[in-house]
Amino acid sequence: MNTKKRNSTSLILAAICLAAAIVLPLVYSATYFVQLFSQTLINLIAVLGLNVVMGMAGQSNLGTIALVALGSYTTAIIADRTGSTTIVGLLAALVVALIVGLMLGYPSLRVNGIFLSLTTMAFAQIVYSLANNMGWLTGGSMGIKGYPKPNLFGWEIGSQRQLYYLILVIAVLLVVLSARLAKSKYGRAMKAVRDNPEAVESIGLSVTKLKMMAFLIATVLGCLAGVFYAWVMQYVGPTTFTTDQGTKYVVMLMLGGIGSTAGMVIGAILVTCLPEILRFMGDYYQLVFYSITLIILLVYPKGLANLFMEIKEKFRLRGTAGAAGKGKED
């Protein structure tokens, strides 16, 4: 019965979040706000992939921003040079994701911890340098402008709001799939790789395949987020994909709660929207934002998702105690 109550509470909270996501672009209909909401969903998709690698499989990855950049540049270059439909750019980005996933997954078989972090960080810096210097392909420091309006199977997505709702549908599906993956046998196997890889090998599971699977999922979601970024902003430039920007994905992961799908939603919302809310502070908004982040992590080192779990547990215990008290009175 308690499990059913917890599940019903989670469903109610999820329904409230979904309702807010649907209503907000109708209330705040200016292009700035709709793009901000879309960026939140894009960051959510990218950090869901990062959570699979770091939260489930326990592999360090500081190169998520490079995946977003590759997805953005792939679809933008194809649209700019060939005039192909959006679906072609999307499929090409996913192919690039699979190739890069194999490239990033391979080092994880040989190095761990800080060394893997440095490897993925170096990969992010290489992608940034190539984007900034290969002007003949990427537009160099000027980037690629004038990305056409997305066109899917003849349906032209003419407004930012339409595009937002398309990304929202995909983001919701990915959140559900991420939650199911965490509870599936593959998710449990990845967590076992994180906690005790020797034990995983001893029962006949392949640590190599599980690590590669985690990196492939992360790269696909990262590149997909990049494709959506190009669609929303209609511009792709190297300054968007610096390693400083890449650290924000790790902040989302830690702030929300590593390993928690709900935590990824919380982290993506806070890290994307809170700096914009603090813009009125001028040059100090970043200082205030990271100070707030530091305080939250010091008080709740396991992330805000764990805080909500503790609150739910307290209410459950109070309800159980109240029911027990009534039973004694009867």
Side-chain angles (χ1 to χ4, degrees):
M1 187 65 179
N2 291 333
T3 302
K4 290 182 179 179
K5 286 183 178 180
R6 288 197 295 270
N7 290 337
S8 62
T9 303
S10 299
L11 289 174
I12 291 171
L13 291 173
I16 292 172
C17 291
L18 181 58
I22 294 172
V23 172
L24 278 174
L26 301 176
V27 177
Y28 299 96
S29 57
T31 301
Y32 166 78
F33 290 111
V34 178
Q35 285 186 334
L36 178 62
F37 300 147
S38 296
Q39 184 64 60
T40 303
L41 296 176
I42 291 168
N43 289 340
L44 171 59
I45 292 171
V47 80
L48 284 173
L50 180 61
N51 187 48
V52 174
V53 172
M54 294 186 68
M56 294 185 191
Q59 304 300 301
S60 300
N61 182 8
L62 300 179
T64 301
I65 193 66
L67 307 177
V68 179
L70 287 170
S72 294
Y73 271 106
T74 299
T75 189
I77 289 170
I78 289 177
D80 183 61
R81 298 302 175 88
T82 68
S84 299
T85 58
T86 302
I87 196 66
V88 174
L90 174 61
L91 294 175
L94 295 179
V95 171
V96 169
L98 294 175
I99 296 172
V100 173
L102 295 173
M103 291 172 55
L104 284 179
Y106 180 74
S108 71
L109 306 178
R110 296 181 175 273
V111 294
N112 290 299
I114 187 63
F115 301 104
L116 184 57
S117 298
L118 293 173
T119 300
T120 54
M121 186 185 294
F123 174 72
Q125 188 60 41
I126 289 170
V127 171
Y128 169 79
S129 298
L130 290 175
N132 197 39
N133 292 295
M134 296 177 66
W136 58 274
L137 181 65
T138 64
S141 59
M142 299 299 293
I144 301 175
K145 303 177 182 178
Y147 188 89
K149 293 180 179 179
N151 188 306
L152 295 176
F153 305 107
W155 172 45
E156 184 178 279
I157 306 173
S159 70
Q160 286 288 338
R161 189 184 297 172
Q162 288 178 336
L163 183 54
Y164 166 81
Y165 284 120
L166 172 64
I167 299 174
L168 176 62
V169 171
I170 295 173
V172 170
L173 290 175
L174 290 174
V175 167
V176 173
L177 289 174
S178 177
R180 291 183 65 86
L181 174 63
K183 296 178 180 179
S184 69
K185 63 178 182 179
Y186 296 106
R188 293 193 295 270
M190 288 180 189
K191 293 175 184 177
V193 170
R194 175 193 65 193
D195 299 330
N196 195 336
E198 290 79 11
V200 173
E201 290 282 8
S202 68
I203 61 174
L205 294 177
S206 173
V207 172
T208 299
K209 290 182 180 179
L210 290 169
K211 286 184 177 181
M212 295 298 290
M213 181 188 299
F215 271 97
L216 285 172
I217 293 172
T219 52
V220 168
L221 293 184
C223 286
L224 182 63
V227 171
F228 290 151
Y229 178 86
W231 291 5
V232 170
M233 298 303 176
Q234 297 183 324
Y235 166 77
V236 178
T239 55
T240 309
F241 308 112
T242 61
T243 51
D244 290 339
Q245 294 295 324
T247 58
K248 289 185 177 180
Y249 292 114
V250 180
V251 174
M252 293 177 200
L253 186 75
M254 303 305 295
L255 194 61
I258 187 168
S260 168
T261 301
M264 299 309 98
V265 177
I266 297 169
I269 293 173
L270 283 179
V271 177
T272 307
C273 297
L274 186 57
E276 299 303 316
I277 295 173
L278 298 173
R279 287 277 185 179
F280 71 92
M281 294 185 174
D283 295 336
Y284 297 98
Y285 83 98
Q286 288 278 28
L287 174 62
V288 175
F289 166 69
Y290 282 110
S291 297
I292 293 172
T293 300
L294 178 60
I295 292 170
I296 292 174
L297 290 176
L298 288 174
V299 178
Y300 302 106
K302 293 184 179 180
L304 291 175
N306 188 66
L307 169 63
F308 288 113
M309 291 299 294
E310 289 179 358
I311 293 173
K312 285 170 61 177
E313 187 65 18
K314 286 181 180 179
F315 278 111
R316 185 187 71 81
L317 292 174
R318 285 182 182 179
T320 303
K326 289 182 180 179
K328 289 180 179 180
E329 291 176 1
D330 294 339

